[in-house]
Amino acid sequence: MQDSKEKIFLRNPFCRALVISKRPLMREGLQFLMKERAEKSSLILMDNYLDLRPEILLHIDVALIELDSPLQEIFKVCDDFNHLQNEFRQVEWVFTLPANLVNIAIERLLTANTALLSLHEPLNSIIEHVFNRGGQIERISRHLLQEIAVSSASNTVTNTNLTFSERRVLRLLSKGWQLAQIATLLEKNYKTISAQKSSALRRLALKTDAEMFAWMLSEQGMQELNLPPYHQGI
């Protein structure tokens, strides 16, 4: 971090920034770097976009948003932010997101005042995007494009071998159904449905619900579950 300190050009050292991230390291890291390199800048920190009030956007230059919502929520989240983008056009928007959400973000969020970065973007790159409002910055970062390429290559060689029951449970989960609701719908024991979900995750080498929903949004997941693009019409 110290090695690249002098390489960062701060076009807007008086930047007023809003950062919404669930990761303490992201919030604390940006707070430290901004205090160290741009003492006259200001920073508002939040860990949940639900806490964002529109009036806050009247007093900021850049909004850095961590976009990593579950599948059931992602389209509403994008629509909500798109509404704010249209209302507060003076704000430069920077979204950090996983590779599987890029197509949705491009379709619903990408504007002349928007940049898309990787969730694993180096802090120096994030700082450059925050302070170079109006400058020459990447609208889709190289780190994110590299993750897209790796993800696409991985998806083409993976063979899931899901059973019919496992695929059916995942498809219903992708629509927002809870396990108890699925058990009632299929007239199955709750433990049976839970076990089918768990076995599906093992086959897919996934460990968390977040990873499961990310896979559902991927091209491979939509093909495997026979879901229409972006879940239109579901």
Side-chain angles (χ1 to χ4, degrees):
M1 187 175 296
Q2 293 179 346
D3 294 338
S4 57
K5 178 177 179 180
E6 297 181 356
K7 297 180 182 180
I8 296 181
F9 170 70
L10 302 184
R11 181 185 179 93
N12 304 303
F14 300 95
C15 177
R16 301 170 299 174
L18 164 70
V19 175
I20 303 179
S21 173
K22 297 178 182 178
R23 295 176 292 172
L25 181 61
M26 170 69 78
R27 299 194 303 272
E28 294 169 5
L30 283 175
Q31 187 175 34
F32 173 79
L33 287 174
M34 290 178 70
K35 183 177 180 180
E36 181 185 45
R37 303 178 189 183
E39 294 181 355
K40 296 181 180 180
S41 65
S42 62
L43 182 62
I44 299 174
L45 297 172
M46 295 183 179
D47 59 9
N48 194 324
Y49 71 89
L50 294 176
D51 296 330
L52 175 61
R53 302 187 305 277
E55 55 266 27
I56 292 176
L57 297 172
L58 291 171
H59 307 289
I60 67 166
D61 303 310
V62 179
L64 174 63
I65 313 294
E66 182 178 282
L67 191 65
D68 193 18
S69 302
L71 178 61
Q72 305 102 310
E73 302 175 9
I74 192 62
F75 297 99
K76 183 181 184 306
V77 170
C78 286
D79 289 343
D80 289 344
F81 278 120
N82 181 254
H83 175 75
L84 292 174
Q85 286 175 306
N86 291 328
E87 185 175 356
F88 299 94
R89 296 180 181 272
Q90 85 285 359
V91 175
E92 187 79 15
W93 297 84
V94 181
F95 293 95
T96 62
L97 66 158
N100 61 284
L101 297 185
V102 170
N103 288 338
I104 297 172
I106 290 175
E107 177 186 349
R108 298 178 180 237
L109 296 174
L110 192 59
T111 71
N113 292 331
T114 305
L116 305 179
L117 311 182
S118 166
L119 276 180
H120 309 291
E121 196 82 17
L123 273 178
N124 284 345
S125 175
I126 294 176
I127 287 290
E128 288 178 343
H129 278 79
V130 169
F131 284 98
N132 285 342
R133 181 174 185 264
Q136 297 297 318
I137 58 175
E138 299 170 324
R139 290 302 170 188
I140 304 178
S141 78
R142 285 171 292 175
H143 298 280
L144 187 55
L145 291 174
Q146 290 171 356
E147 289 184 10
I148 296 171
V150 171
S151 177
S152 298
S154 175
N155 286 340
T156 58
V157 299
T158 302
N159 183 13
T160 61
N161 293 319
L162 292 173
T163 67
F164 171 79
S165 296
E166 292 166 350
R167 190 177 293 108
R168 180 173 56 180
V169 168
L170 292 187
R171 182 176 171 83
L172 289 170
L173 286 170
S174 75
K175 296 181 181 182
W177 289 64
Q178 302 298 316
L179 291 180
Q181 295 172 317
I182 296 173
T184 300
L185 175 69
L186 301 180
E187 298 181 346
K188 300 287 185 180
N189 186 282
Y190 176 89
K191 291 184 178 181
T192 299
I193 299 301
S194 180
Q196 290 172 346
K197 173 193 172 184
S198 297
S199 62
L201 293 184
R202 285 195 298 272
R203 292 181 194 275
L204 296 169
L206 304 175
K207 297 180 180 179
T208 67
D209 284 355
E211 291 178 352
M212 177 185 69
F213 285 118
W215 176 82
M216 290 174 179
L217 266 177
S218 69
E219 181 178 356
Q220 181 199 7
M222 288 189 287
Q223 290 178 351
E224 181 74 22
L225 301 179
N226 193 27
L227 299 174
Y230 310 137
H231 291 26
Q232 293 175 354
I234 290 184

